[in-house]
Amino acid sequence: PPWPLGAPRAQGRVRADRAVGATRPTASMGCRLSLCGGPEDGGAVRFDMDYSPVSALGYPKEPNSLLDDRFDDEDLDDLASQRGMPPEKYSALVAAGKVVSLLIRQEGMEINLNRSVYDSAIILPQICRSGGNPRSFVHLSILGFAFLFLNFALQVVVLYMIDYEEQMMQDYSGQMKLCDFGANVETCPGGANCIGPSGTNYQNAGRMYSFQVWQTRTFIRDMLLSLFPNKAEEIMSNVDPGEYGVENYWVRFVCIFVFMMTVLSDITSTVDLMTILWHVPSSTSENWMEFHVPDWADKAIVKEFKDCSDIEFVKFKFAGMSRVWKLINCILIVIPKLLIFRMAASCGVFFLMETAGIQDVIVNVTALSFILNLDEMIFSLFSHKAVQHIIEHMEPFKTRPGVQEAENHSMKRSVEEVERDKRRTCFECVFLPWRSVAVVLLSAVFIAEYYWKNCKRNARGGWVSIDGHTPLRPAYNAWALILPWVEGAE
């Protein structure tokens, strides 16, 4: 009924939730009535009766989610009035505190899997051990390593063939290294890189061609000279083959930066795998999966409430791993992955630096990024649906326990976190974008390696190709992709 006129109103909440279709309270049915506050006691009365829901119609997935703030005696209006601010402003401060404690301060505390053959090769043997080594699990584990080796083979072969083309076949065709031929052609004829491979000055961009076009034009001129030697002077003055050079000096560096972002993503996942192998306990007493049914109701009621099957109760988590398996994973996964990173970075930068055309270098960086994503493609296409389900539902690996602690912060503590953040100095609040710094450093290192191995200074101070030679035999040493001091061709 309406509150009596003039009587003081209760400053609190009245909340009642009744199970749909329940006729009387039982062990699995009931209601919850929460009365906070009253005119007689100044808000000290509380009556609670727990319930367990029966139907999922219109309810959240967890019964506790019906309880605002877990009834922890925190009322947003009361806390806002204590600070003398509107509830909307206090709510914004609480949200800011959650962002600071759960997003900003917790970065790097969790590791999520990337849905690749590397993750499945590490996790499946441990899942197999935890489940008692059934034949199906053993088969899936073997397939996981088979797909891992397939990925290694494809990536190594593709990278080897790209480098073979660049280092061997171009030498057979007489193509010199591009280096900085024609770079900043707008500074010609007096610039540092204005002398082309033929020894003539570019003068302007109109005399610059790709290697194939320049080679064809040079062949036509030389053919005319050999057919009409008595008209050599006339041919040299009227037939201009131009010069071979780079169309744009800076687009190569931009594309290398883009490519290194993909490379850094790959090396970051490798570091994550190494972190997991380092931090998981070196024992086999812990299991990587369990069947967990919530304790707030029977399994049948929970399944009806959540509209799910038994597989939803199977939880996958990181647990202990024997030192033998840690060593196996390091030898078969981590070390080859690091070698492929080295091969991809070296071969990719060389490939992009040797691409003269603007459109060609942009297309090439897309192709190189595709090579590094082969592991995820193989996983999504070839892996069994059960393996994909396991990897998708694997709980994040927590490197530090601060995430769960921050999850339980009250509204008042969240506002206090904002106040502490305001008192931090500028140096404490500066977040170093280490990923972007790493991309810049990796790009600089491998670009410097390219100039060191393939270029030299000319008289004007520009970078030109080292002296070329025809390989003695068509065999390329693959170690040149990994070790910078090894020559690929004899």
Side-chain angles (χ1 to χ4, degrees), residues 124 136 139-140 143 147 378-391:
L124 287 179
S136 298
H139 178 70
L140 291 178
L143 280 180
F147 295 146
I378 292 174
F379 178 83
S380 61
L381 288 178
F382 297 156
S383 294
H384 195 277
K385 294 298 182 183
V387 177
Q388 297 183 19
H389 177 88
I390 292 173
I391 301 301

Side-chain angles (χ1 to χ4, degrees), residues 241-438:
E243 287 287 358
Y244 165 54
V246 58
E247 291 184 2
N248 187 280
Y249 178 72
W250 297 105
V251 71
R252 296 186 300 173
F253 300 138
V254 172
C255 289
I256 288 174
F257 183 87
V258 173
F259 171 64
M260 280 300 168
M261 288 194 292
T262 305
V263 172
L264 182 66
S265 176
D266 188 72
I267 194 64
T268 300
S269 66
T270 307
V271 174
D272 289 342
L273 293 180
M274 295 169 64
T275 302
I276 292 174
L277 293 176
W278 178 264
H279 284 284
V280 295
S282 299
S283 66
T284 58
S285 59
E286 300 179 3
N287 294 317
W288 286 59
M289 61 178 177
E290 62 180 0
F291 188 78
H292 176 72
V293 180
D295 56 3
W296 47 268
D298 294 335
K299 186 179 74 170
I301 297 174
V302 175
K303 289 174 64 175
E304 180 184 359
F305 178 70
K306 290 190 171 184
D307 190 21
C308 64
S309 62
D310 279 0
I311 196 62
E312 300 297 330
F313 301 133
V314 179
K315 306 298 180 183
F316 304 98
K317 61 181 181 179
F318 289 95
M321 182 188 300
S322 66
R323 289 186 174 89
V324 174
W325 269 109
K326 288 185 177 182
L327 180 61
I328 292 174
N329 289 326
C330 286
I331 295 175
L332 297 183
I333 300 175
V334 176
I335 294 178
K337 203 167 185 293
L338 291 173
L339 294 178
I340 287 181
F341 151 73
R342 162 64 183 167
M343 294 174 64
S346 176
C347 177
V349 170
F350 185 90
F351 186 43
L352 295 176
M353 290 295 292
E354 285 294 301
T355 306
I358 296 176
Q359 293 180 344
D360 294 336
V361 71
I362 295 174
V363 172
N364 288 344
V365 71
T366 306
L368 289 171
S369 301
F370 163 77
I371 297 173
L372 291 177
N373 292 327
L374 281 175
D375 58 315
E376 298 177 7
M377 183 182 300
I378 292 174
F379 178 83
S380 61
L381 288 178
F382 297 156
S383 294
H384 195 277
K385 294 298 182 183
V387 177
Q388 297 183 19
H389 177 88
I390 292 173
I391 301 301
E392 289 175 1
H393 292 81
M394 197 78 183
E395 294 180 358
F397 180 77
K398 294 178 174 59
T399 57
R400 293 192 294 272
V403 177
Q404 188 61 40
E405 179 185 352
E407 284 282 356
N408 296 326
H409 285 180
S410 63
M411 290 191 293
K412 185 176 181 180
R413 186 170 177 182
S414 297
V415 175
E416 292 174 352
E417 180 67 28
V418 176
E419 298 297 332
R420 283 194 296 270
D421 194 77
K422 290 180 180 179
R423 293 191 295 268
R424 289 188 174 97
T425 63
C426 294
F427 293 102
E428 291 178 306
C429 293
V430 171
F431 300 100
L432 181 65
W434 67 269
R435 290 184 179 88
S436 58
V437 173

Side-chain angles (χ1 to χ4, degrees), residues 13-290:
R13 292 192 299 269
V14 176
R15 181 171 187 165
D17 293 304
R18 181 171 58 84
V20 177
T23 57
R24 61 186 179 84
T26 64
S28 60
M29 304 180 184
C31 66
R32 178 175 184 114
L33 174 66
S34 180
L35 173 62
C36 303
E40 299 86 1
D41 51 83
V45 171
R46 161 174 273 177
F47 173 72
D48 292 324
M49 182 168 69
D50 291 330
Y51 83 108
S52 296
V54 172
S55 174
L57 298 176
Y59 282 91
K61 288 192 174 182
E62 294 292 346
N64 284 339
S65 64
L66 296 172
L67 312 181
D68 190 17
D69 288 323
R70 301 179 182 176
F71 289 93
D72 55 359
D73 295 327
E74 281 194 316
D75 186 87
L76 190 144
D77 294 339
D78 293 342
L79 294 174
S81 62
Q82 292 175 13
R83 285 183 169 265
M85 62 177 62
E88 296 80 5
K89 179 62 177 177
Y90 192 84
S91 175
L93 291 179
V94 173
K98 293 295 184 182
V99 171
V100 170
S101 58
L102 292 175
L103 297 180
I104 298 178
R105 299 298 172 190
Q106 305 296 336
E107 184 181 11
M109 289 190 177
E110 287 186 352
I111 296 176
N112 294 287
L113 300 182
N114 295 324
R115 290 174 50 84
S116 70
V117 294
Y118 305 116
D119 299 327
S120 62
I122 287 181
I123 291 172
L124 287 179
Q126 309 308 316
I127 296 291
C128 179
R129 172 186 59 80
S130 301
N133 299 310
R135 289 290 180 89
S136 298
F137 282 23
V138 173
H139 178 70
L140 291 178
S141 301
I142 295 174
L143 280 180
F145 276 98
F147 295 146
L148 173 72
F149 298 144
L150 173 64
N151 170 70
F152 285 150
L154 290 177
Q155 289 182 326
V156 170
V157 169
V158 172
L159 292 173
Y160 176 83
M161 287 301 169
I162 291 176
D163 211 52
Y164 181 84
E165 167 70 19
E166 295 292 325
Q167 300 282 6
M168 291 287 297
M169 302 311 295
Q170 289 187 2
D171 286 345
Y172 277 116
S173 66
Q175 181 174 346
M176 65 293 300
K177 303 300 185 290
L178 182 58
C179 297
D180 287 348
F181 281 123
N184 302 317
V185 70
E186 63 274 7
T187 62
C188 296
N193 299 296
C194 291
I195 304 300
S198 298
T200 63
N201 199 299
Y202 287 94
Q203 300 295 331
N204 54 67
R207 296 190 69 245
M208 183 183 297
Y209 303 98
S210 66
F211 179 77
Q212 289 77 16
V213 174
W214 172 72
Q215 189 179 42
T216 302
R217 293 170 65 94
T218 303
F219 171 76
I220 296 297
R221 185 200 61 184
D222 295 342
M223 181 186 65
L224 292 174
L225 288 174
S226 62
L227 292 175
F228 308 102
N230 57 331
K231 296 184 178 181
E233 184 177 352
E234 184 178 356
I235 292 173
M236 292 296 295
S237 61
N238 290 283
V239 180
D240 182 17
E243 287 287 358
Y244 165 54
V246 58
E247 291 184 2
N248 187 280
Y249 178 72
W250 297 105
V251 71
R252 296 186 300 173
F253 300 138
V254 172
C255 289
I256 288 174
F257 183 87
V258 173
F259 171 64
M260 280 300 168
M261 288 194 292
T262 305
V263 172
L264 182 66
S265 176
D266 188 72
I267 194 64
T268 300
S269 66
T270 307
V271 174
D272 289 342
L273 293 180
M274 295 169 64
T275 302
I276 292 174
L277 293 176
W278 178 264
H279 284 284
V280 295
S282 299
S283 66
T284 58
S285 59
E286 300 179 3
N287 294 317
W288 286 59
M289 61 178 177
E290 62 180 0

